[in-house]
Amino acid sequence: MTTALLARPAQSLFERIQDRKSKIGIIGLGYVGLPLALLFAEEGFPVLGFDIDTQKVQSLMAGESYIYRVPKTEIQLARDKGFHATGDYSRVSDMDAIVICVPTPLDEHRQPDLSYVRSTVESVAPHLCPGQLLILESTTYPGTTDELVVPIVERMNRAGCRVARNGEPPAGNIFVAFSPEREDPGNDSIARKDVPKVVGGVDALATELARALYAALFHRVVTVSTPAVAEMSKLLENIYRCVNIALVNELKLLCLRMGIDIWEVIDAASTKPFGFQPFYPGPGLGGHCIPIDPFYLSWKARQWDFQMRFIELAGEINTAMPHHVVEAVGAALNSRNKPVNGSRVLVLGVSYKKDIDDLRESPALTIIELLRAQGAAVSYHDPFFPVLDKGRKYNLQLKCVPLETLAAYECVLIVTDHSSYDYGDIVRQAQLVVDTRNATRGINSSKVVRC
Ligand SMILES: NC(=O)c1ccc[n+]([C@@H]2O[C@H](COP(=O)([O-])OP(=O)(O)OC[C@H]3O[C@@H](n4cnc5c(N)ncnc54)[C@H](O)[C@@H]3O)[C@@H](O)[C@H]2O)c1
């Protein structure tokens, strides 16, 4: 669409985006929002970050980072280019585009907890002005943008604006779109700019504006017809992973019984040049996406009298994996005439996947809790976490122990296969190693039990 075809408020925003003059407000400066803010700053946009966590705001203003893979030099570079952080929502009115990247967890009944999105939109809405573009990036069920975001914006904004809809004159309206985030923490094999960005606006102008905005950052922007399509596409991506991981986890359990090496099986199957993508078994799902997002859809499906059986079954298999690991530790100790009760177990790696500083939903936390419940004396080591204190679910109160006295533990349990570990040395020193990740691949030792 050319600028000439755009209505006036959209046209001037479009031009400001093209000139890198549009002011970008990023709300929620976590794993998704902070890198996005830095990307906009790098491209020369004036960026203001918003967060309710005052410590994060203070760190950023001091040029410090709180995310391992975001070096402080990047923050300082962005600061030099004018990047600021604040907790003051009244500054939303000064922005051209506002992108919301706040958490979307599950509540204690494993139902979508949209309280962060709701409270953010409620805080933003009073300050929205005609011609602004509001984009939701938080992962959520299809319908959230239309059913939750739009009504709050229209009910609460002081300027009395409506959200632009197809077939209505856009003058005096706010443009709203959804665009899912496709971050893969720890994956350096693909540059962020090369990951295509999907956008779906409430109306065609919103889609076009969001496309123009993201085209400044990403090499390819894929537009879809509605926010619901964009919301559903993100869930499809994550459900695809969740279901395939469950499949391979179940296959692993069978392979263990049959004495077949599942990892060798996957390697062999991966040589097929078409129609197969490898997924790997592990101690259970972790992170803010795969264990959570699918349940946003199964919850929504129930409103339509529809049961998402694949999601429920995958959830059942994946959540059983930490229990399987604890059983494997028990069996390995038993084979050495030792009970779990009273044994010293060292858990290696607690982040939910290797080489990242993210503990959210990590299976390691469940495994530690289960082992403790059976009387094991559990310690842990992880280069990213000096302490494990109170989290969303657990209050473990543990301190990272040094890696020096491995022989003192009845069992060393590899939960997360960080690259910094010397697995050969670990096997040499330990009495018994239970390996949930095939980190000891190629090491032939009767001390190693793979599970
Ligand atoms: N982390 C990932 O790898 C990833 C990948 C794809 C999608 N997502 C999705 O992106 C969204 C954000 O995830 P994240 O990992 O960045 O979360 P996060 O917890 O790392 O960061 C969220 C930030 O939002 C802030 N916040 C909460 N409520 C706020 C409010 N009312 N106003 C301003 N700030 C507020 C928090 O203080 C925090 O800094 C989620 O929906 C998640 O599912 C995450």
Side-chain angles (χ1 to χ4, degrees), residues 75 158 272 277 429:
I75 312 269
R158 291 182 194 138
K272 187 179 178 191
Q277 190 192 346
Q429 288 192 48

Side-chain angles (χ1 to χ4, degrees), residues 27-34 50-53 56 66-67 69 89 100-105 115-117 119-121 123 137-140 180-185 234 238 288-289 292-293 352 358 360 392:
I27 304 190
L29 300 169
Y31 289 94
V32 167
L34 180 58
F50 295 79
D51 206 294
I52 44 169
D53 184 334
K56 284 186 177 162
Y66 41 82
I67 296 179
R69 63 178 189 279
Y89 274 112
I100 299 175
C101 311
V102 296
T104 42
S115 59
Y116 297 91
V117 174
S119 75
T120 301
V121 181
S123 307
E137 281 213 10
S138 303
T139 308
T140 182
E181 167 56 47
R182 284 172 157 169
E183 166 88 336
D184 182 15
K234 171 70 186 177
N238 284 353
H288 190 356
C289 297
I292 291 172
D293 303 345
Y352 82 85
D358 195 341
R360 289 176 294 178
R392 255 208 301 254

Side-chain angles (χ1 to χ4, degrees), residues 14-57:
F14 192 86
E15 283 162 3
R16 284 201 299 285
I17 290 170
Q18 284 194 325
D19 297 342
R20 305 280 200 270
K21 289 204 172 112
S22 54
K23 295 182 192 160
I24 314 293
I26 305 288
I27 304 190
L29 300 169
Y31 289 94
V32 167
L34 180 58
L36 184 68
L38 299 179
L39 216 51
F40 273 115
E42 194 184 310
E43 286 301 326
F45 287 89
V47 183
L48 181 59
F50 295 79
D51 206 294
I52 44 169
D53 184 334
T54 47
Q55 268 183 352
K56 284 186 177 162
V57 170

Side-chain angles (χ1 to χ4, degrees), residues 343-347 367-369 371-372 375-380 398 409:
S343 284
R344 277 155 300 184
V345 178
L346 175 65
V347 170
I367 289 167
I368 292 173
E369 178 112 321
L371 284 169
R372 276 180 159 182
V378 186
S379 307
Y380 87 96
L398 285 171
Y409 298 93

Side-chain angles (χ1 to χ4, degrees), residues 397-418:
Q397 298 298 335
L398 285 171
K399 264 193 191 156
C400 178
V401 298
L403 263 188
E404 291 150 8
T405 50
L406 294 190
Y409 298 93
E410 275 77 27
C411 176
V412 172
L413 171 60
I414 301 170
V415 176
T416 311
D417 50 341
H418 289 309

Side-chain angles (χ1 to χ4, degrees), residues 220-377:
R220 185 163 170 229
V221 180
V222 180
T223 59
V224 294
S225 57
T226 62
V229 172
E231 289 159 340
M232 187 68 112
S233 74
K234 171 70 186 177
L235 292 184
L236 170 61
E237 291 165 16
N238 284 353
I239 292 163
Y240 171 76
R241 278 192 67 72
C242 175
V243 167
N244 279 288
I245 291 169
L247 173 67
V248 84
N249 273 333
E250 192 176 55
L251 210 57
K252 174 181 81 169
L253 298 181
L254 174 65
C255 282
L256 280 169
R257 257 189 220 185
M258 295 176 75
I260 297 171
D261 182 345
I262 180 72
W263 301 88
E264 198 183 346
V265 172
I266 296 168
D267 283 353
S270 301
T271 59
K272 187 179 178 191
F274 49 86
F276 182 82
Q277 190 192 346
F279 289 87
Y280 297 96
L285 294 182
H288 190 356
C289 297
I290 312 296
I292 291 172
D293 303 345
F295 296 101
Y296 268 65
L297 188 60
S298 51
W299 177 85
K300 187 67 179 173
R302 286 198 285 278
Q303 283 185 7
W304 296 84
D305 223 358
F306 197 93
Q307 200 78 14
M308 289 297 295
R309 285 172 294 167
F310 263 109
I311 293 175
E312 299 298 339
L313 179 61
E316 206 178 290
I317 294 170
N318 288 328
T319 49
M321 294 318 289
H323 296 265
H324 158 73
V325 170
V326 170
E327 270 172 34
V329 169
L333 285 169
N334 188 48
S335 71
R336 283 154 178 80
N337 299 320
K338 287 173 186 162
V340 175
N341 196 350
S343 284
R344 277 155 300 184
V345 178
L346 175 65
V347 170
L348 286 189
V350 293
S351 55
Y352 82 85
K353 75 179 203 184
K354 73 180 196 180
D355 302 337
I356 65 163
D357 61 338
D358 195 341
L359 261 186
R360 289 176 294 178
E361 309 294 319
S362 174
L365 306 178
T366 310
I367 289 167
I368 292 173
E369 178 112 321
L370 290 172
L371 284 169
R372 276 180 159 182
Q374 292 190 25

